[in-house]
Amino acid sequence: DARVTQTPRDKVTEMGQEVTMRCQPILGHNTVFWYRQTMMQGLELLAYFRNRAPLDDSGMPKDRFSAEMPDATLATLKIQPSEPRDSAVYFCASGWSLQGSYTGELFFGEGSRLTVL
Amino acid sequence: AQSVAQPEDQVNVAEGNPLTVKCTYSVSGNPYLFWYVQYPNRGLQFLLKYITGDNLVKGSYGFEAEFNKSQTSFHLKKPSALVSDSALYFCAVSQRHNFNKFYFGSGTKLNVKP
């Protein structure tokens, strides 16, 4: 049963610490998204990649957040330094798209719950 | 600006009754439309999508959705609700020329009471 895998599931850290969240997309998917979910803001798109290239990271605070795909099986989201307002659930999702062909569905991981004290 | 609106934060319905969760959108062109469901402490799961064709789309778990172009709506429906349908439901829209960019609504909490 193919699924998107995210680690860690839960992370508690102190303000100022570096946090790295990892995502393994479904094998064969070529598009990866990072979303942040909070009660106040709902689901916010932070970044997305297609064929490992970053296509849009306009929703991401550039001064402290960075997203990369070092290879097709790993996407990372890093926060340095972390702040209490970064506390949220971070979701990775993967999908498949090709010029002229589209499936449309995103497959979400279980999320990484981050608490910054 | 592109947007998706779910006007109800919460919908309450009795088990066995029909349910409707509303969604309207403002996206240029002819968008792709989706519904996702989120159970507590889980990621979102795909329910159904409208790409083209018949305005009534059938999806997982007995859900269906009706696309109405003139009203720019894509309401989620189910003829007979189950307690297990209680969850958070998200409407999402993407543009045909930029379909990798999804716009999610704020979510509607569905409570189905026994």
Side-chain angles (χ1 to χ4, degrees), chain B residues 52-73:
Chain B
T52 187
D54 194 349
N55 289 345
L56 186 64
V57 178
K58 294 190 184 297
S60 307
Y61 313 121
F63 283 92
E64 57 190 28
E66 187 166 13
F67 170 61
N68 188 317
K69 186 173 182 179
S70 63
Q71 296 185 3
T72 61
S73 66

mmCIF file of all heavy atoms in Angstrom, chain B residues 52-73:
data_model
loop_
_atom_site.group_PDB
_atom_site.id
_atom_site.type_symbol
_atom_site.label_atom_id
_atom_site.label_comp_id
_atom_site.label_asym_id
_atom_site.label_seq_id
_atom_site.Cartn_x
_atom_site.Cartn_y
_atom_site.Cartn_z
ATOM 1 N N THR B 52 -14.031 17.334 -15.921
ATOM 2 C CA THR B 52 -14.866 17.730 -17.047
ATOM 3 C C THR B 52 -16.001 16.726 -17.160
ATOM 4 O O THR B 52 -16.005 15.695 -16.481
ATOM 5 C CB THR B 52 -14.048 17.761 -18.350
ATOM 6 O OG1 THR B 52 -14.854 18.315 -19.400
ATOM 7 C CG2 THR B 52 -13.608 16.361 -18.761
ATOM 8 N N GLY B 53 -17.011 17.042 -17.972
ATOM 9 C CA GLY B 53 -18.062 16.060 -18.211
ATOM 10 C C GLY B 53 -19.269 16.254 -17.312
ATOM 11 O O GLY B 53 -19.653 17.376 -16.989
ATOM 12 N N ASP B 54 -19.840 15.159 -16.862
ATOM 13 C CA ASP B 54 -21.050 15.153 -16.055
ATOM 14 C C ASP B 54 -20.864 16.007 -14.808
ATOM 15 O O ASP B 54 -19.867 15.863 -14.092
ATOM 16 C CB ASP B 54 -21.393 13.710 -15.668
ATOM 17 C CG ASP B 54 -22.802 13.585 -15.117
ATOM 18 O OD1 ASP B 54 -23.434 14.615 -14.830
ATOM 19 O OD2 ASP B 54 -23.260 12.430 -14.981
ATOM 20 N N ASN B 55 -21.849 16.849 -14.552
ATOM 21 C CA ASN B 55 -21.735 17.754 -13.411
ATOM 22 C C ASN B 55 -21.846 17.049 -12.068
ATOM 23 O O ASN B 55 -21.453 17.597 -11.044
ATOM 24 C CB ASN B 55 -22.802 18.852 -13.496
ATOM 25 C CG ASN B 55 -22.514 19.844 -14.606
ATOM 26 O OD1 ASN B 55 -21.399 19.893 -15.125
ATOM 27 N ND2 ASN B 55 -23.512 20.610 -14.963
ATOM 28 N N LEU B 56 -22.399 15.861 -12.045
ATOM 29 C CA LEU B 56 -22.517 15.092 -10.810
ATOM 30 C C LEU B 56 -21.387 14.073 -10.766
ATOM 31 O O LEU B 56 -21.297 13.198 -11.632
ATOM 32 C CB LEU B 56 -23.874 14.403 -10.724
ATOM 33 C CG LEU B 56 -24.166 13.681 -9.402
ATOM 34 C CD1 LEU B 56 -24.225 14.681 -8.249
ATOM 35 C CD2 LEU B 56 -25.474 12.895 -9.499
ATOM 36 N N VAL B 57 -20.567 14.192 -9.761
ATOM 37 C CA VAL B 57 -19.393 13.326 -9.635
ATOM 38 C C VAL B 57 -19.587 12.414 -8.432
ATOM 39 O O VAL B 57 -19.965 12.867 -7.353
ATOM 40 C CB VAL B 57 -18.129 14.178 -9.431
ATOM 41 C CG1 VAL B 57 -16.918 13.290 -9.251
ATOM 42 C CG2 VAL B 57 -17.924 15.134 -10.590
ATOM 43 N N LYS B 58 -19.302 11.161 -8.611
ATOM 44 C CA LYS B 58 -19.404 10.217 -7.495
ATOM 45 C C LYS B 58 -18.010 9.862 -6.993
ATOM 46 O O LYS B 58 -17.058 9.740 -7.790
ATOM 47 C CB LYS B 58 -20.143 8.957 -7.922
ATOM 48 C CG LYS B 58 -21.609 9.223 -8.268
ATOM 49 C CD LYS B 58 -22.392 7.959 -8.459
ATOM 50 C CE LYS B 58 -23.821 8.229 -8.892
ATOM 51 N NZ LYS B 58 -24.572 8.984 -7.864
ATOM 52 N N GLY B 59 -17.903 9.721 -5.674
ATOM 53 C CA GLY B 59 -16.594 9.451 -5.104
ATOM 54 C C GLY B 59 -16.631 8.336 -4.084
ATOM 55 O O GLY B 59 -17.526 7.492 -4.087
ATOM 56 N N SER B 60 -15.647 8.392 -3.189
ATOM 57 C CA SER B 60 -15.495 7.349 -2.180
ATOM 58 C C SER B 60 -16.560 7.455 -1.095
ATOM 59 O O SER B 60 -17.108 8.533 -0.847
ATOM 60 C CB SER B 60 -14.114 7.446 -1.532
ATOM 61 O OG SER B 60 -13.087 7.455 -2.487
ATOM 62 N N TYR B 61 -16.830 6.302 -0.440
ATOM 63 C CA TYR B 61 -17.682 6.227 0.753
ATOM 64 C C TYR B 61 -19.100 6.735 0.509
ATOM 65 O O TYR B 61 -19.768 7.196 1.427
ATOM 66 C CB TYR B 61 -17.061 6.992 1.923
ATOM 67 C CG TYR B 61 -15.597 6.687 2.150
ATOM 68 C CD1 TYR B 61 -14.641 7.693 2.105
ATOM 69 C CD2 TYR B 61 -15.162 5.386 2.392
ATOM 70 C CE1 TYR B 61 -13.302 7.416 2.291
ATOM 71 C CE2 TYR B 61 -13.823 5.100 2.576
ATOM 72 C CZ TYR B 61 -12.899 6.128 2.526
ATOM 73 O OH TYR B 61 -11.564 5.850 2.712
ATOM 74 N N GLY B 62 -19.574 6.692 -0.725
ATOM 75 C CA GLY B 62 -20.942 7.091 -1.021
ATOM 76 C C GLY B 62 -21.138 8.582 -1.210
ATOM 77 O O GLY B 62 -22.276 9.040 -1.359
ATOM 78 N N PHE B 63 -20.059 9.355 -1.189
ATOM 79 C CA PHE B 63 -20.158 10.793 -1.394
ATOM 80 C C PHE B 63 -20.281 11.124 -2.880
ATOM 81 O O PHE B 63 -19.779 10.407 -3.733
ATOM 82 C CB PHE B 63 -18.947 11.514 -0.806
ATOM 83 C CG PHE B 63 -18.988 11.642 0.690
ATOM 84 C CD1 PHE B 63 -18.393 10.683 1.493
ATOM 85 C CD2 PHE B 63 -19.640 12.710 1.289
ATOM 86 C CE1 PHE B 63 -18.438 10.788 2.879
ATOM 87 C CE2 PHE B 63 -19.687 12.829 2.662
ATOM 88 C CZ PHE B 63 -19.090 11.874 3.464
ATOM 89 N N GLU B 64 -20.914 12.255 -3.140
ATOM 90 C CA GLU B 64 -20.998 12.792 -4.481
ATOM 91 C C GLU B 64 -20.938 14.311 -4.393
ATOM 92 O O GLU B 64 -21.124 14.888 -3.318
ATOM 93 C CB GLU B 64 -22.274 12.332 -5.187
ATOM 94 C CG GLU B 64 -23.544 12.674 -4.464
ATOM 95 C CD GLU B 64 -24.757 11.978 -5.079
ATOM 96 O OE1 GLU B 64 -24.618 10.889 -5.676
ATOM 97 O OE2 GLU B 64 -25.858 12.549 -4.961
ATOM 98 N N ALA B 65 -20.662 14.931 -5.515
ATOM 99 C CA ALA B 65 -20.595 16.393 -5.522
ATOM 100 C C ALA B 65 -21.160 16.890 -6.838
ATOM 101 O O ALA B 65 -21.005 16.246 -7.878
ATOM 102 C CB ALA B 65 -19.169 16.888 -5.332
ATOM 103 N N GLU B 66 -21.786 18.047 -6.768
ATOM 104 C CA GLU B 66 -22.408 18.625 -7.953
ATOM 105 C C GLU B 66 -21.718 19.916 -8.333
ATOM 106 O O GLU B 66 -21.648 20.863 -7.538
ATOM 107 C CB GLU B 66 -23.892 18.875 -7.721
ATOM 108 C CG GLU B 66 -24.614 19.326 -8.977
ATOM 109 C CD GLU B 66 -26.119 19.247 -8.848
ATOM 110 O OE1 GLU B 66 -26.607 19.081 -7.708
ATOM 111 O OE2 GLU B 66 -26.798 19.366 -9.871
ATOM 112 N N PHE B 67 -21.211 19.950 -9.536
ATOM 113 C CA PHE B 67 -20.562 21.145 -10.083
ATOM 114 C C PHE B 67 -21.622 22.026 -10.715
ATOM 115 O O PHE B 67 -22.425 21.572 -11.538
ATOM 116 C CB PHE B 67 -19.512 20.740 -11.116
ATOM 117 C CG PHE B 67 -18.954 21.885 -11.905
ATOM 118 C CD1 PHE B 67 -18.279 22.907 -11.273
ATOM 119 C CD2 PHE B 67 -19.091 21.924 -13.290
ATOM 120 C CE1 PHE B 67 -17.747 23.963 -11.999
ATOM 121 C CE2 PHE B 67 -18.563 22.976 -14.031
ATOM 122 C CZ PHE B 67 -17.896 23.997 -13.382
ATOM 123 N N ASN B 68 -21.634 23.290 -10.323
ATOM 124 C CA ASN B 68 -22.571 24.254 -10.895
ATOM 125 C C ASN B 68 -21.762 25.448 -11.380
ATOM 126 O O ASN B 68 -21.313 26.278 -10.583
ATOM 127 C CB ASN B 68 -23.612 24.683 -9.851
ATOM 128 C CG ASN B 68 -24.704 25.535 -10.453
ATOM 129 O OD1 ASN B 68 -24.441 26.427 -11.261
ATOM 130 N ND2 ASN B 68 -25.946 25.272 -10.079
ATOM 131 N N LYS B 69 -21.585 25.525 -12.681
ATOM 132 C CA LYS B 69 -20.704 26.553 -13.232
ATOM 133 C C LYS B 69 -21.270 27.944 -13.030
ATOM 134 O O LYS B 69 -20.539 28.888 -12.706
ATOM 135 C CB LYS B 69 -20.462 26.288 -14.720
ATOM 136 C CG LYS B 69 -19.447 27.218 -15.347
ATOM 137 C CD LYS B 69 -19.118 26.816 -16.768
ATOM 138 C CE LYS B 69 -18.049 27.740 -17.348
ATOM 139 N NZ LYS B 69 -17.688 27.347 -18.734
ATOM 140 N N SER B 70 -22.576 28.091 -13.202
ATOM 141 C CA SER B 70 -23.171 29.424 -13.107
ATOM 142 C C SER B 70 -23.100 29.975 -11.688
ATOM 143 O O SER B 70 -22.971 31.184 -11.490
ATOM 144 C CB SER B 70 -24.618 29.383 -13.586
ATOM 145 O OG SER B 70 -25.389 28.538 -12.763
ATOM 146 N N GLN B 71 -23.176 29.077 -10.726
ATOM 147 C CA GLN B 71 -23.083 29.508 -9.333
ATOM 148 C C GLN B 71 -21.674 29.337 -8.766
ATOM 149 O O GLN B 71 -21.450 29.622 -7.592
ATOM 150 C CB GLN B 71 -24.084 28.711 -8.477
ATOM 151 C CG GLN B 71 -25.533 28.969 -8.861
ATOM 152 C CD GLN B 71 -26.512 28.269 -7.937
ATOM 153 O OE1 GLN B 71 -26.142 27.629 -6.970
ATOM 154 N NE2 GLN B 71 -27.803 28.390 -8.247
ATOM 155 N N THR B 72 -20.764 28.888 -9.584
ATOM 156 C CA THR B 72 -19.374 28.597 -9.161
ATOM 157 C C THR B 72 -19.363 27.857 -7.834
ATOM 158 O O THR B 72 -18.710 28.264 -6.860
ATOM 159 C CB THR B 72 -18.505 29.871 -9.092
ATOM 160 O OG1 THR B 72 -19.053 30.775 -8.125
ATOM 161 C CG2 THR B 72 -18.409 30.553 -10.431
ATOM 162 N N SER B 73 -20.102 26.754 -7.809
ATOM 163 C CA SER B 73 -20.194 25.967 -6.579
ATOM 164 C C SER B 73 -19.868 24.513 -6.858
ATOM 165 O O SER B 73 -19.975 24.025 -8.003
ATOM 166 C CB SER B 73 -21.587 26.078 -5.972
ATOM 167 O OG SER B 73 -22.555 25.469 -6.813
#
